[in-house]
Amino acid sequence: MPRVTLQTIADRVGVSRMTVSNAFSRPDQLSPALRERILAAAQDLGYAGPDPTARALATGTTGAVGVLLTDSLRYAFTDQVAGGFLGAIATELAPTGLAITLLTSSGTGDVVPARDVAIDGAVVYSCDPASPAVAWLRRRHLPMVFVDQDPADDVPCVNIADREGARAAAQHLADLGHRRFAIASALLEGHAARERQRGWSDVLDPLGVEPVFIRHPLEQTEGVRRDARALLSAADRPTAFLCYSDTTAAGVRQAAADLGLRVPEDLSVIGFDDGPVAARMQPPLTTVRQDVEEKGRVAAAALTEAIRRARTGPDGPVRHVLLPTSLVVRDSTGPAPRTPVRPAPPADPPADPPADPPALSRP
Amino acid sequence: MPRVTLQTIADRVGVSRMTVSNAFSRPDQLSPALRERILAAAQDLGYAGPDPTARALATGTTGAVGVLLTDSLRYAFTDQVAGGFLGAIATELAPTGLAITLLTSSGTGDVVPARDVAIDGAVVYSCDPASPAVAWLRRRHLPMVFVDQDPADDVPCVNIADREGARAAAQHLADLGHRRFAIASALLEGHAARERQRGWSDVLDPLGVEPVFIRHPLEQTEGVRRDARALLSAADRPTAFLCYSDTTAAGVRQAAADLGLRVPEDLSVIGFDDGPVAARMQPPLTTVRQDVEEKGRVAAAALTEAIRRARTGPDGPVRHVLLPTSLVVRDSTGPAPRTPVRPAPPADPPADPPADPPALSRP
DNA sequence: GCCACCATCTTGACCGGTACAGAACACGGC
DNA sequence: GCCGTGTTCTGTACCGGTCAAGATGGTGGC
């Protein structure tokens, strides 16, 4: 059976296709009586309203905006910090009626969502700016907002004071007398990783401190735990751990627990993000706070603004927003121990013993 | 300046529009040499490939599938169980290149994503089947899959054995000798809430046990905590708490902690879902396990299958999948105390004292 | 040398709507 | 009776692609 379109209804009612279209999209353009008749006929024929695809082509708007994330979409739903950010975008966007389309940065083969999916604009969240997906979005001349990303001149950007936050964290530990540092950083060299690294270096370099590094993909707390354990088993083990995120810090603290090291007496640990878990840890985690909800709200607002601009023409330079970070001192940091405690052999050996040597490196 | 379309490129190269289209979408339909020339011209003109909207209209596919969620999208990113489910959908869908469009069940005013956004199909996750959004999707004759939803004959459904799981939970506590029950249920009367209620009643009714109820919106642990505290302060307080989810159970356990009640000695608590937090609680939570990842995978597979069917014509009846649940006994449940302990006044009064009376009800 | 066949490119119709200008008609004022 | 105004509806031209069938020219078989 053939599909029901505007024409089907028009024929049935005996009016022009355009009038039927108006019945749905411009109620003020026809008499209420006729509109009722048309709507009734539509109902009768099982017509579900103007086809979104066709309407999108004709009007030039799709009613959806994209959110470009790193390769793994799962991350968006699993990580609490990313989740908070996306949730805030969703609530900010809700009144506008715009749906959110999730796009992955990694195109698998011939289908590339960033190139092939119809959207009105996009938020690019913490992606490699050189990735093909970002390039496609740019070529499409879509209204965009970059978040946690190297700023670009021609695109609105929302960032946080990564460097200042990291600096505050390192300074806090330095003030407490620590001089043997380890850093648990991200494996991927993103904007945030680079900036935080700079912040840590701002403090540590002048002190002549050379931290030991471990690097892992985000969310891989087990790897962090294993490598941190190896690091903390050494005779000249670090007394302070700077971490890329709260999740990373959780891995480090598990390693400390494995080895019977007390936090903060034997080891100070500092996180980043101040996500939901930070305050719930025992003892609560000292960390660098960022307001992910605000970041989401600002990003969503910037995107709707960019879309508006694309329609009405630009009215001023693109805005770059930098949100503040602040050090939240809780109980996972304390004065450097006089003589670093050699970790006692753990009471019962951890389920997953350190098998392979940790990935050490100095930049 | 005018937009670059296929025609622009066709004019430039001196071929027909169709040939340019083929250069992008059907490389085998023209000589490699000409294709190179066309692609070069396209590159030159800053053409980003065929317009997704127009292509969608012509081909009838959009490259995106919808996921319809309850009113609050934030929930999708915040709740770990929902997150696990959606993450599994995302990974299962990744190889197909389909993007995921998030739709809210509550249309705000004139824009209704479920009616107005172009998609190839949709997963309906735990929504009110009578909601307008579901009705719109159905009227659009979109390929659909219902998840955690009252089954419909003409739609593929994926559900879990809610009732059996709840029954096992209640039976476990009954076997331990408990006879004074409280139930922390969901505020919204969804499919899962109803089924679990049935499962609990299957066990409690024959025993003549009349549980006390508290109900709260999902994720509102503070409300649960407050009302549970009031309930547990009574002289004839319950010794066993059946909870709608692990999150709910966490609220109940906080209430117990507030009152100095020990779990499981003074109070047995049982959750539902076996999410990430269940095993991490102290002591670990006894709960009903469901495999949300599997649920996501099955749902995604069922959706691609439904989309395929819509194209090629049906080849058999629609499938209904019921995934198993199982009771995971950990350390939050134990034998019913002989004489229920009257809770001692808490050491330090909780930050948020029970202000208003709890919402008690018997069904 | 003729015809079938293939690769390559073109033509015209169509996907299902919307924008915009204008036609038809009723109404009120003078 | 005429004209300006407003409402209501229609006609035509798009929006930017793809599909299916046809034109064209070169190749190979016999």
Side-chain angles (χ1 to χ4, degrees), chain B residues 8-330:
Chain B
T8 321
I9 302 169
D11 294 346
R12 169 74 86 84
V13 181
V15 295
S16 80
R17 185 173 41 144
M18 193 62 226
T19 302
V20 181
S21 172
N22 282 332
F24 285 100
S25 309
R26 292 269 178 82
D28 57 324
Q29 293 292 305
L30 73 173
S31 70
L34 179 56
R35 176 159 193 258
E36 270 315 306
R37 274 211 298 149
I38 292 176
L39 260 34
Q43 173 87 21
D44 201 40
L45 290 163
Y47 183 71
D51 181 75
T53 315
R55 195 210 279 259
L57 178 59
T59 61
T61 71
T62 65
V65 298
V67 176
L68 184 67
L69 300 152
T70 42
D71 26 292
S72 162
L73 259 195
R74 162 169 256 119
Y75 172 76
F77 296 110
T78 313
D79 182 72
Q80 298 202 334
V81 175
F85 170 71
L86 294 166
I89 290 193
T91 42
E92 179 78 10
L93 244 35
T96 69
L98 287 167
I100 295 179
T101 299
L102 269 19
L103 308 170
T104 43
S105 166
S106 73
T108 46
D110 46 345
V111 196
V112 183
R115 164 166 52 93
D116 301 329
V117 174
I119 45 178
D120 291 335
V123 171
V124 176
Y125 179 56
S126 192
C127 295
D128 178 6
S131 75
V134 176
W136 282 122
L137 293 177
R138 297 200 76 144
R139 297 200 67 182
R140 285 172 67 180
H141 298 294
L142 281 172
M144 278 199 290
V145 175
F146 282 179
V147 179
D148 283 352
Q149 195 100 2
D150 289 325
D153 286 341
D154 52 342
V155 177
C157 297
V158 179
N159 276 293
I160 62 166
D162 284 295
R163 186 168 185 173
E164 291 73 10
R167 200 184 290 152
Q171 190 62 55
H172 171 62
L173 292 173
D175 290 346
L176 286 167
H178 292 273
R179 288 300 179 271
R180 307 170 74 86
F181 280 77
I183 290 182
S185 190
L187 188 61
L188 289 175
E189 273 290 317
H191 172 77
R194 265 192 308 279
E195 287 297 304
R196 291 177 196 179
Q197 178 57 57
R198 289 205 181 108
W200 293 323
S201 299
D202 286 343
V203 175
L204 300 185
D205 285 356
L207 291 175
V209 171
E210 282 203 1
V212 190
F213 282 85
I214 61 178
R215 291 177 204 281
H216 288 89
L218 298 174
E219 293 284 292
Q220 293 270 35
T221 44
E222 270 316 307
V224 174
R225 181 181 184 176
R226 196 178 52 234
D227 288 359
R229 204 155 46 202
L231 225 56
L232 293 171
S233 304
D236 57 343
R237 66 168 184 80
T239 65
F241 233 114
L242 288 162
C243 302
Y244 178 78
S245 71
D246 293 343
T247 321
T248 320
V252 169
R253 292 185 55 166
Q254 282 190 312
D258 290 342
L259 298 170
L261 289 173
R262 293 162 306 165
V263 170
E265 291 83 355
D266 303 326
L267 179 72
S268 285
V269 180
I270 201 159
F272 210 112
D273 293 338
D274 194 22
V277 290
R280 278 203 293 257
M281 290 185 191
Q282 284 308 327
L285 184 72
T286 296
T287 188
V288 179
R289 172 163 173 72
Q290 65 159 315
D291 192 341
V292 287
E293 311 267 330
E294 178 69 5
K295 194 165 69 179
R297 279 191 297 270
V298 171
L303 183 60
T304 48
E305 169 69 10
I307 294 174
R308 197 188 56 68
R309 265 167 185 259
R311 290 201 231 289
T312 65
D315 50 354
V318 295
R319 287 237 310 248
H320 285 202
V321 178
L322 187 71
L323 298 173
T325 53
S326 60
L327 182 68
V328 179
V329 179
R330 297 207 182 89

Side-chain angles (χ1 to χ4, degrees), chain A residues 23-42:
Chain A
F24 286 100
S25 308
R26 292 270 179 80
D28 57 323
Q29 293 293 305
L30 74 174
S31 69
L34 179 55
R35 174 154 194 260
E36 271 316 307
R37 273 211 299 148
I38 292 176
L39 259 34

Side-chain angles (χ1 to χ4, degrees), chain A residues 5-262:
Chain A
T5 73
L6 290 183
Q7 192 62 60
T8 320
I9 302 169
D11 293 347
R12 168 74 87 84
V13 180
V15 295
S16 81
R17 185 175 38 144
M18 195 61 230
T19 301
V20 181
S21 171
N22 283 332
F24 286 100
S25 308
R26 292 270 179 80
D28 57 323
Q29 293 293 305
L30 74 174
S31 69
L34 179 55
R35 174 154 194 260
E36 271 316 307
R37 273 211 299 148
I38 292 176
L39 259 34
Q43 174 86 22
D44 201 42
L45 290 163
Y47 183 70
D51 181 74
T53 316
R55 193 210 278 258
L57 178 59
T59 61
T61 69
T62 65
V65 297
V67 176
L68 183 66
L69 300 151
T70 42
D71 25 293
S72 162
L73 258 195
R74 164 169 251 116
Y75 172 77
F77 296 110
T78 313
D79 183 71
Q80 298 202 332
V81 174
F85 170 71
L86 293 167
I89 291 193
T91 41
E92 179 79 11
L93 244 34
T96 68
L98 287 167
I100 295 179
T101 300
L102 269 18
L103 308 170
T104 43
S105 165
S106 72
T108 45
D110 45 346
V111 196
V112 183
R115 163 167 53 92
D116 301 329
V117 174
I119 46 178
D120 292 335
V123 171
V124 176
Y125 178 56
S126 191
C127 295
D128 178 5
S131 74
V134 176
W136 283 120
L137 292 177
R138 297 200 75 144
R139 297 201 65 182
R140 285 173 69 180
H141 299 292
L142 281 171
M144 277 199 291
V145 175
F146 282 180
V147 179
D148 283 353
Q149 195 100 2
D150 290 324
D153 287 340
D154 52 343
V155 177
C157 297
V158 180
N159 275 293
I160 63 164
D162 285 296
R163 187 169 184 172
E164 291 71 11
R167 201 185 289 151
Q171 190 64 54
H172 171 62
L173 291 173
D175 290 348
L176 286 168
H178 292 273
R179 288 302 179 269
R180 306 170 73 88
F181 280 78
I183 290 181
S185 189
L187 188 61
L188 289 176
E189 274 290 316
H191 173 77
R194 266 193 308 279
E195 286 297 302
R196 292 177 195 180
Q197 178 56 56
R198 289 205 181 106
W200 294 323
S201 299
D202 286 343
V203 175
L204 301 185
D205 285 357
L207 292 174
V209 171
E210 284 203 0
V212 192
F213 282 86
I214 62 178
R215 289 177 205 282
H216 289 89
L218 297 174
E219 292 283 292
Q220 294 270 31
T221 43
E222 272 316 307
V224 174
R225 180 181 186 177
R226 197 177 53 232
D227 287 0
R229 203 155 45 203
L231 225 57
L232 292 171
S233 304
D236 56 344
R237 66 167 184 80
T239 65
F241 233 113
L242 287 162
C243 302
Y244 178 77
S245 72
D246 293 342
T247 320
T248 321
V252 170
R253 292 184 56 164
Q254 282 190 310
D258 290 342
L259 298 169
L261 288 173
R262 294 162 304 166

